[in-house]
Amino acid sequence: MSSPQDAVRPVAEDAPVFVISVAAELAGMHAQTLRQYDRLGLVRPGRTAGGGRRYSPRDVALLREVQRLSQEDGVNLAGIKRIIELESRVEALQARVHELLEDLERSETRRIAAESAVPAGYRRDLVPHRRPGSALVVWRPRSER
């Protein structure tokens, strides 16, 4: 009979769990290549208190992508670094858009709740506020007939 401690728990995608030799094997590379990629800033593994590298499953996937871009697509390491930076920025922007959409949804929910809290008799008296536009109106005095 197995205990709850024997159960396999999923590892978080960004949890630094693999030592360099395991990460190198998982990525199909030599450990020295991983050290070089770390020095170049292509992959940034976590560090132990003693300074040892610890790679996450996300790091291993990134290492595989670096290898694919280099070997299959012929992209040089500077190009790969730029691709990684841009993809990271896109992910951050997508996360920010998601946050803003959630904020907008919460605001809309509050607006609807506030609007429905106004007694029905008063609603007809509410006038939507519109910001002044930039329309230009030319006034001409009426000519006397």
Side-chain angles (χ1 to χ4, degrees):
M1 182 167 165
S2 65
S3 68
Q5 289 127 352
D6 295 336
V8 176
R9 288 182 285 165
V11 175
E13 191 68 20
D14 55 352
V17 293
F18 304 120
V19 295
I20 192 167
S21 59
V22 173
E25 186 175 333
L26 291 171
M29 300 178 174
H30 193 277
Q32 197 59 35
T33 305
L34 273 64
R35 290 183 187 93
Q36 179 68 22
Y37 287 175
D38 184 14
R39 280 191 292 277
L40 293 172
L42 293 172
V43 179
R44 299 195 185 280
R47 297 285 181 160
T48 64
R53 293 173 175 87
R54 291 294 183 270
Y55 292 83
S56 68
R58 179 176 291 145
D59 293 331
V60 172
L62 182 57
L63 288 166
R64 288 180 184 147
E65 180 65 7
V66 168
Q67 187 174 42
R68 187 194 67 73
L69 286 168
S70 175
Q71 293 178 356
E72 294 176 20
D73 295 342
V75 181
N76 65 23
L77 295 180
I80 292 171
K81 184 174 183 178
R82 184 69 177 140
I83 289 168
I84 291 169
E85 289 169 354
L86 290 172
E87 287 178 345
S88 177
R89 289 176 69 185
V90 167
E91 285 177 17
L93 288 170
Q94 287 173 334
R96 182 64 179 140
V97 166
H98 183 70
E99 289 172 11
L100 291 171
L101 288 172
E102 287 177 345
D103 288 348
L104 181 62
E105 189 175 318
R106 282 191 295 274
S107 295
E108 183 66 9
T109 301
R110 285 193 303 268
R111 183 195 64 79
I112 290 169
E115 193 175 280
S116 61
V118 174
Y122 294 124
R123 286 191 196 143
R124 68 177 178 273
D125 296 332
L126 294 177
V127 178
H129 173 71
R130 287 189 173 74
R131 292 185 177 192
S134 60
L136 177 64
V137 177
V138 177
W139 177 80
R140 291 192 179 116
R142 291 186 185 184
S143 60
E144 294 186 31
R145 297 179 193 199

